Amino acid sequence: MADNGCHELARVATRIVTAEPGIDPRDFLRALGQVVAGISPGVEGIFDLARGGSNEVAGRGFRPEFDDESRGQARHFAGTAASAAIFGPRVTEIVAHRLVDPPDTADGRLSAAAVEFARLLIGEELLVSDASQWILDEICAPEDEAAMRINPAPRD
């Protein structure tokens, strides 16, 4: 499905690992942030994060608890995960929940998921090679559910 940003996020994660199988978790998170959210991997990435990045991968397809009805959730997830690689998961979580999005909103829950994703990768509790499956299992809506929310059937 062309409009499924969550599944495209997972495909990008797979492409990064395929291109560099032994990639360091922090480098993986920075690469994901660059490809999906336009976050430069160097010092200039701090400025990209401050301005919110860009929707390099747009679309819907996120579980309802993470869906803010925008096409920018892949950017939000990847940018937050890249921030955790740069500043650390704890600092990222504090900034995300105190300054950006309250934890009880779709964006706040997605930020928490991105921080957890980064924490698991950095702590090597999640292998980089399993990152795309984690994305599919934890934050993406199943294909049929996502299709129903993206393109609802017309009402009689």
Side-chain angles (χ1 to χ4, degrees), residues 13 17 23-30 32 77 81 85 89 114-132 134-135:
V17 173
I23 192 168
D24 173 80
R26 288 181 189 273
D27 292 338
F28 168 79
L29 291 166
R30 287 185 188 111
L32 191 67
F77 181 87
V115 167
E116 177 66 3
F117 175 71
R119 186 192 66 72
L120 290 169
L121 287 166
I122 293 166
E124 298 182 358
E125 296 173 58
L126 174 65
L127 298 174
V128 175
S129 60
D130 294 334
S132 62
W134 188 97
I135 291 167

Side-chain angles (χ1 to χ4, degrees), residues 12-77:
V12 169
T14 297
R15 286 194 299 270
I16 292 168
V17 173
T18 300
E20 193 175 340
I23 192 168
D24 173 80
R26 288 181 189 273
D27 292 338
F28 168 79
L29 291 166
R30 287 185 188 111
L32 191 67
Q34 181 177 24
V35 174
V36 175
I39 308 297
S40 298
V43 174
E44 56 276 354
I46 295 169
F47 299 107
D48 295 333
L49 284 167
R51 67 175 179 72
S54 58
N55 286 332
E56 303 302 316
V57 170
R60 305 278 305 272
F62 289 78
R63 289 179 181 225
E65 62 265 33
F66 304 121
D67 186 1
D68 71 351
E69 299 185 9
S70 76
R71 295 173 42 81
Q73 294 304 81
R75 173 200 49 82
H76 185 110
F77 181 87

Side-chain angles (χ1 to χ4, degrees), residues 87-146:
F87 299 111
R90 185 70 186 133
V91 170
T92 298
E93 183 175 46
I94 290 168
V95 170
H97 288 154
R98 292 196 182 155
L99 302 177
V100 183
D101 298 304
D104 61 343
T105 63
D107 283 340
R109 288 186 290 275
L110 189 60
S111 292
V115 167
E116 177 66 3
F117 175 71
R119 186 192 66 72
L120 290 169
L121 287 166
I122 293 166
E124 298 182 358
E125 296 173 58
L126 174 65
L127 298 174
V128 175
S129 60
D130 294 334
S132 62
Q133 191 62 52
W134 188 97
I135 291 167
L136 292 170
D137 292 345
E138 300 297 327
I139 64 170
C140 292
E143 278 286 349
D144 56 341
E145 182 182 324

